Amino acid sequence: QVQLQESGPGLVKPSETLSLTCTVSGGSVSGYHWNWIRQAPGKGLEWIGYIYYSGSGSTNYNPSLKSRLTISVDTSKNQFSLKLSSVTAADTAVYYCARNPQWYNPFDYWGQGTLVTVSS
Amino acid sequence: DIQMTQSPSSLSASVGDRVTITCRASESISSYLNWYQQKPGKAPNLLIYSVSSLQSGVPSRFSGSGSGTDFTLTISSLQPEDFAIYYCQQTYTIPQTFGQGTKLEI
């Protein structure tokens, strides 16, 4: 059974970089698309981006976040990561990691989510 | 971006009721439409993919239909555990987008 677990700081200061990691267990990061999705308090779901690893990593980002976003993978640790720079209060949200086999497939496995608050 | 609009935004119903939630896309998304259920403090859970395919383990009282731009999620007989927020999602193009959610309340 595939399991995903997000980890990272719960509090980030404005203008700094938000960094999160998703650890994958019960399966390999190779051959799947690994996504980040966020949900602002009381709001809906926003897809952030994905990385696909099969020998090399390819990424696709939400254009609304692309200039501030980096998603990477560490196959040795079976993890993938999110870095979002120059954060503001608008980036406060629960951040989820999730998997889909192809980018056009639904998300079949999700992490439990981690709340990141942007505040000084 | 493709806009996904759900209606209603909230819905009050009773155990045993049949309910339908609608999702409309701003342009055709073929059959790339999925439905999720989210309970408080939890990650969304996939219910239906590709318009009408039931995810493994999901009760058969859930069903989906539609094509092109108009889609529906139907729960044939509400159970107490079905009270949650439901989201549609299109995976036809990047960025994938979600509806704003429908809160199903007792």
Side-chain angles (χ1 to χ4, degrees), chain A residues 35 37 39 43-47 50 60-64 96 100 102-108 110-113, chain B residues 1 32 34 36 38 41-46 48-50 55 87 89 91-100:
Chain A
N35 297 261
I37 300 114
Q39 186 171 36
K43 302 297 184 182
L45 298 159
E46 179 183 28
W47 175 77
Y50 72 68
N60 209 326
Y61 299 152
N62 192 320
S64 67
Y96 296 100
N100 51 358
Q102 300 294 335
W103 68 264
Y104 48 82
N105 291 146
F107 303 127
D108 54 2
W110 294 69
Q112 65 185 26
Chain B
D1 298 4
Y32 293 88
N34 312 302
Y36 298 86
Q38 187 178 34
K42 300 293 187 182
N45 181 51
L46 177 64
I48 288 173
Y49 61 95
S50 301
Q55 176 70 348
Y87 293 95
Q89 176 208 24
T91 54
Y92 183 69
T93 64
I94 296 289
Q96 302 168 4
T97 48
F98 294 85
Q100 82 279 15

Side-chain angles (χ1 to χ4, degrees), chain B residues 17-98:
Chain B
D17 283 354
R18 178 185 179 90
V19 300
T20 297
I21 299 169
T22 297
C23 179
R24 174 165 288 175
S26 60
E27 59 187 85
S28 178
I29 57 170
S30 185
S31 298
Y32 293 88
L33 189 283
N34 312 302
W35 290 97
Y36 298 86
Q37 177 193 67
Q38 187 178 34
K39 295 183 178 179
K42 300 293 187 182
N45 181 51
L46 177 64
L47 296 176
I48 288 173
Y49 61 95
S50 301
V51 178
S52 59
S53 296
L54 205 61
Q55 176 70 348
S56 176
V58 173
S60 59
R61 63 180 179 272
F62 291 92
S63 64
S65 64
S67 65
T69 60
D70 294 314
F71 304 90
T72 60
L73 171 69
T74 299
I75 310 172
S76 61
S77 178
L78 276 173
Q79 299 302 301
E81 60 268 28
D82 299 337
F83 292 94
I85 299 176
Y86 293 85
Y87 293 95
C88 61
Q89 176 208 24
Q90 67 81 18
T91 54
Y92 183 69
T93 64
I94 296 289
Q96 302 168 4
T97 48
F98 294 85

